[in-house]
Amino acid sequence: MPVLAIADHDNKDLKPGTLSLVTAAGKIDKDVHLLVAGSDCRSVAETAATIEGVAKVLLADAAQYRNFLAEPMAALVGGLAKDYAAVLAVANTTGKNYLPRVAALADVSQISDIVEVVSADTFVRPIYAGNAMATVQSSDKLKVITVRTTTFAKAATGGKAPVETVAGAADPGISRHVADELSKSERPELTAARIVVSGGRGMQSGDNFKLIYAVADKIGAAVGASRAAVDAGFVPNDYQVGQTGKVVAPELYIAVGISGAIQHLAGMKDSKVIVAINKDEEAPIFQVADYGLVADLFKALPELEQELAKLPPA
């Protein structure tokens, strides 16, 4: 049977995680259908149709899907799921909101945060804050799966899958979208950035994060933070990287003033290259870092910014 992957998008643009989601779905079965549910989102469906490995794009275009509320999305996906061997979504806030409801409607167990597909019924997922990996096998007829997309390669583009319109499910009408309160930034989105510079408790105050911003802007990086920095009010919650924050896997991760608690490592240890700056040479972050600098960050960051300023524009 085919598998159904649910596209991650904002009604205008397809998010990069969808490309990795298709890769994961293709390891379960080569017959991958991609659902684009939203409002005024045909352009997203047309972009999705170019992803290699996608056999068909299903477009559910209705006002009730504009904000991806859990109840309407679960009703739609739950109705479609009976024709599939597996349903997959990105393991982000949206996917984690509606997919458990799909599993409940189908009376099956959800398999969360997979990082590897062993076979059509066997998957690997992290446990104990990423300190161990569990191999789980499911005997459920329908597999309901959230995917940690940072661990899967992005599918190529250049395909020409057909786009098929599907009718929306009845809106349960038990929730409504009130407003979005989003932080606006010219920097890249944290989970999609190639480079991330994160600050921790060692930054000492929110005002000192200007040192992080200066370096990040020189190299086109996103800015993150440890939970300690967020809890202290240095930066907003959406900066948080870690087990209870965002999971990132950029090409370069620079951790500044971050000790390296298990919860933080769970959110960034899959980064390709990790650089740590900390004055404590015994800090656990140095155990996972590819490069470490034992130094006072208040001296090191300005010096780094000055050196970066000497480089020609990228």
Side-chain angles (χ1 to χ4, degrees), residues 50 118 138 146 153 179 202 205 212 236 245 268 284 309:
T50 67
V118 178
S138 172
T146 58
S205 73
I212 296 280
M268 47 66 74

Side-chain angles (χ1 to χ4, degrees), residues 96 227 231 237 240-247 263-264 266-267:
K96 291 178 178 180
R227 178 172 179 173
D231 287 350
N237 288 344
Q240 185 178 331
V241 173
Q243 183 183 12
T244 55
K246 296 179 179 178
V247 176
Q263 291 81 358
H264 186 76

